[in-house]
Amino acid sequence: MSSHEHQDHEHHDHHDHDHPHAPPPDADGTLTYYQALELAVTSLLIEKSVFSADEMRRQIEAMDARHAGLGGRLVARAWVDQDFKARALADGSAAAREIGLEIGPLKLIVVENTPEVHNLVVCTLCSCYPRMLLGLPPDWYKSRAYRSRAVREPRAVLREFGTEIPDDIEVRVHDSTADMRYLVLPRRPAGTDGWAEERLAALATRDSMVGVALAQPT
Amino acid sequence: MSDAIPARFAPGDRVTVRRAHPPGHLRTPFYARGASGVIERLCGAFANPEELAFNRPGLPAQPLYRVRFRQAELWDDYDGPARDTIEIEIYQHWLEAAR
């Protein structure tokens, strides 16, 4: 469309439509190859009774209901209970189950931030993420920019998230390339002595458990 | 898994990632191929994803390790302290004892 036509079109819209708030155009353009493939496979699976449409809907609903508060519970327990922390660092999945978190077949590795090491999680190959404990990953986690740069220039990426790691602290990146999933155990913020576990859990934000931020008192 | 391939490496061993470029579904990042690092831990044994991708069983299961590399080993112009590291999950058939 030429710019001239475009202007005409806007002109036309403005004057010929009597309703002041025309609905925006639908965003459903032509399906991409993989979108069409997904729909085709889904309808076949339902048609062949591998699962029902309602089962699929329920699964999506259950995944959407997951949130970072679940990971926060694990972090808060590790902050208040040194023995639990040791168990979580040795076997993250067992520790999550121990406090009643339902994680399915998740193979969890918990990595601890210390005065010597800051951990950062990325999946360069796709978007592996501990969804059972953090919910669905944010868009930036899945972006090509984050996935390629987090392994190449992690300190620059951290700075863009507002997180400055001093040079005397090792930045340790975890590329989640295969069967394990990673949760960062952030450092417990100062000034939180005696806080109840529930209150502490709220400090362990999604970003602090991916490692792009620190846990901070709000 | 009882019929898993035995683990050849132990934590602390120095290993080198094979510099190979086979076609298909691979879980060994390009940037790690040819690099040397240290076994951080054995994660267990898992069906080989390169076989699973073609709907084959991927058995016997391959030992999977976390390998720790110095960033400077991976990137010639890494812009950060020499102490910075990266850990990557790599299956045993991609690893050789470092010379």
Side-chain angles (χ1 to χ4, degrees):
Chain A
M1 186 191 288
S2 75
S3 64
H4 177 73
E5 280 168 338
H6 190 214
Q7 280 168 9
D8 274 354
H9 184 70
E10 285 181 348
H11 185 76
H12 168 89
D13 268 359
H14 190 71
H15 286 276
D16 288 0
H17 288 236
D18 54 1
H19 44 94
H21 300 292
D26 289 338
D28 47 5
T30 311
L31 292 176
T32 64
Y33 172 80
Y34 288 106
Q35 285 171 328
L37 180 66
E38 185 211 326
L39 288 173
V41 171
T42 301
S43 58
L44 276 171
L45 289 168
I46 292 171
E47 211 172 292
K48 291 176 178 292
S49 301
V50 177
F51 53 73
S52 70
D54 185 58
E55 283 169 335
M56 184 168 125
R57 179 202 59 74
R58 266 187 278 168
Q59 189 60 33
I60 293 169
E61 190 177 42
M63 280 315 298
D64 283 351
R66 301 243 165 212
H67 56 90
L70 302 169
R73 277 179 51 199
L74 190 147
V75 167
R77 178 65 59 86
W79 280 344
V80 301
D81 181 340
Q82 291 302 303
D83 292 338
F84 177 80
K85 183 176 94 174
R87 291 197 294 279
L89 295 176
D91 185 341
S93 301
R97 291 190 185 103
E98 178 187 325
I99 58 170
L101 295 168
E102 295 198 6
I103 56 169
L106 173 72
K107 300 270 183 192
L108 183 69
I109 290 182
V110 177
V111 290
E112 182 188 19
N113 285 350
T114 69
E116 289 83 37
V117 178
H118 179 86
N119 294 283
L120 176 70
V121 180
V122 62
C123 173
T124 56
L125 298 180
C126 46
S127 58
C128 297
Y129 188 78
R131 294 169 185 228
M132 304 300 275
L133 294 175
L134 296 185
L136 296 177
D139 286 347
W140 56 257
Y141 186 85
K142 298 182 279 185
S143 72
R144 191 170 292 248
Y146 179 77
R147 287 162 42 213
S148 54
R149 294 183 57 223
V151 289
R152 183 78 177 80
E153 43 177 356
R155 287 175 183 267
V157 171
L158 285 165
R159 264 193 299 277
E160 289 167 26
F161 278 98
T163 303
E164 189 79 42
I165 303 298
D167 277 1
D168 60 349
I169 296 181
E170 170 188 336
V171 169
R172 185 177 296 164
V173 178
H174 300 269
D175 192 352
S176 186
T177 48
D179 291 276
M180 316 304 286
R181 298 292 177 268
Y182 298 87
L183 188 83
V184 174
L185 173 57
R187 293 175 68 189
R188 179 173 175 168
T192 59
D193 289 354
W195 282 31
E197 218 173 300
E198 204 168 286
R199 192 174 171 205
L200 286 169
L203 301 185
T205 61
R206 174 195 73 192
D207 288 359
S208 75
M209 290 182 279
V210 176
V212 296
L214 309 178
Q216 300 166 67
T218 45
Chain B
M1 230 171 286
S2 57
D3 58 349
I5 295 169
R8 287 176 53 205
F9 304 109
D13 287 357
R14 278 194 63 76
V15 291
T16 301
V17 183
R18 284 171 47 220
R19 196 185 289 279
H21 300 277
H25 172 88
L26 306 174
R27 298 222 137 242
T28 306
F30 278 92
Y31 70 84
R33 297 185 199 172
S36 294
V38 173
I39 301 284
E40 191 266 341
R41 75 176 79 177
L42 173 65
C43 300
F46 296 88
N48 183 351
E50 295 159 28
E51 298 291 314
L52 291 179
F54 295 97
N55 201 27
R56 297 194 286 252
L59 298 174
Q62 275 286 348
L64 176 69
Y65 301 91
R66 295 189 55 64
V67 184
R68 183 177 298 172
F69 302 89
R70 294 197 161 278
Q71 286 280 24
E73 164 79 11
L74 298 176
W75 318 106
D76 287 340
D77 58 347
Y78 180 70
D79 185 19
R83 58 168 52 85
D84 286 1
T85 56
I86 181 162
E87 294 187 4
I88 312 174
E89 286 166 52
I90 302 180
Y91 296 93
Q92 179 164 282
H93 64 292
W94 277 91
L95 297 174
E96 297 166 345
R99 285 177 294 276

